[in-house]
Amino acid sequence: MKMEHINENTIRVLLGSDDLSARGITVLDLLGNRKQIQDFFYSILDEVDTNHEFRDNETVTFQVLPKRTGLELFISKVDPESEDGNVNNDAISRYIKREMVGKDQQVINTNPTGQEKGSADAPQDEFGEEPMITRVVKFNNFEDVISASHMIEPVDQMSSDLYSLDEQYFLILTFFNDGALAEGIIDDVLAMLSEYALQTAITADIIEEHGKILMSHSALERVRYYF
């Protein structure tokens, strides 16, 4: 484990896979039990805050960034009466957002007019087919999601959103039928996923309403990148 003080209000901690294993936690656990996560964060704080400058502070925030080989944890103490704390947290949030969401933005494509595909005003193609085609598959565990993500090559006309619901994982695939969508690509993708997932009668609307979003827009790419 490595740590550094970014400034007087923030500690940056780098934990490798071995560090996480020694503490009985994995990156996958960060998607799970909130109480377990909170206890883990405070245990790390106790290790690095030897002078109790942060632990004794009334307000401490934790922001985590999963990495391929572990995770990066930002621990900040906040003075409720000072605006500096808000500025500091905003800066960290922008850094994490750039790291986590940057790949999502790369898969948002535009049509020749510059309009985002899949928007409400997106035109139908010349054959009069639906501009967006949605499919939902179900995984029994996250390990199957990881395995499936390494089988699927990126498709420019596809986005993927990962949800959890009733201790299962649901992947919502949206295909943008803009005329460039290769014939048979939907069947090909579903066929490859079928080794680890099942198609389900549960609709995307129900999952979006009752499920918990884990990764949006490019879930398959992000799971493959981090795991």
Side-chain angles (χ1 to χ4, degrees):
M1 181 176 69
K2 300 179 180 179
M3 62 85 70
E4 65 172 335
H5 283 266
I6 294 180
N7 54 45
E8 62 180 9
N9 294 320
T10 302
I11 300 175
R12 175 174 172 261
V13 183
L14 295 174
L15 292 132
S17 299
D18 292 342
D19 297 317
L20 297 177
S21 178
R23 292 165 176 80
I25 197 167
T26 67
V27 174
L28 178 58
D29 292 327
L30 297 177
L31 303 176
N33 187 286
R34 183 181 296 272
K35 179 66 165 55
Q36 180 186 11
I37 296 170
Q38 183 176 350
D39 291 343
F40 169 69
F41 286 167
Y42 274 102
S43 70
I44 295 299
L45 175 60
D46 288 338
E47 289 188 49
V48 299
D49 184 31
T50 55
N51 295 326
H52 303 290
E53 297 177 358
F54 286 66
R55 186 69 172 181
D56 294 340
N57 200 67
E58 290 186 3
T59 305
V60 178
T61 64
F62 300 92
Q63 293 173 288
V64 63
L65 175 64
K67 311 290 285 186
R68 285 186 176 182
T69 57
L71 63 84
E72 191 171 1
L73 179 65
F74 295 90
I75 306 172
S76 300
K77 61 179 179 180
V78 180
D79 181 357
E81 298 181 358
S82 171
E83 295 182 358
D84 293 341
N86 293 331
V87 172
N88 186 60
N89 282 335
D90 287 345
I92 297 173
S93 296
R94 286 194 297 270
Y95 170 78
I96 294 177
K97 185 175 181 180
R98 284 197 302 270
E99 291 291 319
M100 291 290 288
V101 184
K103 288 187 175 293
D104 289 350
Q105 296 173 339
Q106 294 175 11
V107 300
I108 298 177
N109 298 293
T110 57
N111 61 25
T113 63
Q115 183 181 41
E116 286 189 5
K117 297 173 186 176
S119 65
D121 298 327
Q124 296 186 352
D125 68 13
E126 60 181 329
F127 299 106
E129 298 178 354
E130 291 295 324
M132 291 192 301
I133 302 169
T134 301
R135 296 289 185 268
V136 180
V137 295
K138 177 180 66 176
F139 298 88
N140 290 324
N141 54 65
F142 193 76
E143 285 71 20
D144 284 345
V145 179
I146 296 173
S147 297
S149 73
H150 288 274
M151 294 181 60
I152 307 299
E153 294 295 328
V155 177
D156 288 341
Q157 291 79 27
M158 182 185 77
S159 69
S160 54
D161 302 278
L162 183 64
Y163 287 79
S164 64
L165 177 64
D166 295 334
E167 299 183 352
Q168 293 179 315
Y169 296 89
F170 292 85
L171 187 69
I172 299 177
L173 301 170
T174 303
F175 297 88
F176 303 105
N177 192 10
D178 63 342
L181 186 64
E183 183 177 357
I185 189 64
I186 298 177
D187 291 337
D188 290 344
V189 170
L190 294 177
M192 286 186 285
L193 288 173
S194 66
E195 182 173 346
Y196 298 98
L198 296 172
Q199 292 196 56
T200 175
I202 301 177
T203 65
D205 290 339
I206 292 176
I207 294 172
E208 290 170 352
E209 180 178 357
H210 299 285
K212 176 184 177 182
I213 182 68
L214 301 178
M215 297 182 183
S216 61
H217 302 309
S218 56
L220 286 173
E221 288 86 346
R222 292 171 68 181
V223 170
R224 182 169 60 248
Y225 179 81
Y226 289 115
F227 299 95

